[in-house]
Amino acid sequence: MAAAQVSEPTPAVTLIPASPSRWEAAAHVTWLGERRPNRLDQWDEWFNVASGGATVGYYWTSHLKTEFDVSTSTQGERYSVDFIPLPGSTTSLFLQRDHEFRITTASAGLIGQFFENAWFHPFVGAGIELFHERERIETAITPPRDPRVPAVI
């Protein structure tokens, strides 16, 4: 009998905390592959390094967030060889270079979310990124061998 049952409202289940924190933080570890084209050599033009960093965000409202990110990479290496023809000679001078790279970035952004947190909520963002690259180059010069002198093995 339905009239004998007590009708109580069913409690709503929500995944949003009663008082959400305005701050959020995250760490990231990535693998960075970058192409360094050089028209003079036929070596592998890619270098791969590990990268890591941290992101901190602050929610001004439930739909507006400021975010800051800092990341850096391990050292990457790339090799190149250049042939420089010598005037008045049929031989060339060989320049072998060892390039070492390290990349560091810092960024800041402002992100706005449309609608309430549902299965679909588009957002838009804008920001700025500062990019610092450190490169160290070691150069080895190999003088041409005189064809009249036998090579020493």
Side-chain angles (χ1 to χ4, degrees):
M1 309 268 275
Q5 297 177 359
V6 179
S7 174
E8 293 183 20
T10 305
V13 176
T14 180
L15 299 176
I16 300 172
S19 61
S21 172
R22 291 184 166 251
W23 289 96
E24 72 175 6
H28 50 88
V29 176
T30 59
W31 193 253
L32 171 67
E34 188 170 327
R35 185 171 185 256
R36 298 290 171 129
N38 185 349
R39 63 178 176 81
L40 298 176
D41 63 30
Q42 299 299 319
W43 293 83
D44 185 11
E45 297 176 343
W46 289 85
F47 75 95
N48 298 289
V49 293
S51 178
T55 302
V56 175
Y58 181 78
Y59 282 91
W60 298 97
T61 69
S62 62
H63 297 277
L64 186 64
K65 178 174 85 164
T66 304
E67 194 170 83
F68 301 97
D69 182 87
V70 176
S71 65
T72 188
S73 72
T74 59
Q75 183 171 292
E77 291 186 5
R78 183 176 176 276
Y79 301 98
S80 66
V81 175
D82 295 328
F83 303 101
I84 300 173
L86 297 175
S89 176
T90 59
T91 60
S92 297
L93 188 66
F94 297 99
L95 292 173
Q96 179 181 348
R97 293 189 176 117
D98 179 10
H99 304 259
E100 296 175 348
F101 301 92
R102 183 178 303 268
I103 299 169
T104 304
T105 63
S107 63
L110 184 66
I111 300 153
Q113 175 186 316
F114 300 102
F115 311 126
E116 284 300 318
N117 195 8
W119 70 272
F120 175 75
H121 49 269
F123 62 92
V124 64
I128 186 169
E129 179 179 34
L130 301 173
F131 181 90
H132 178 266
E133 178 181 331
R134 183 182 62 92
E135 180 179 11
R136 181 175 169 254
I137 302 173
E138 287 185 19
T139 303
I141 300 173
T142 306
R145 187 177 66 83
D146 187 350
R148 297 172 291 181
V149 178
V152 178
I153 299 177

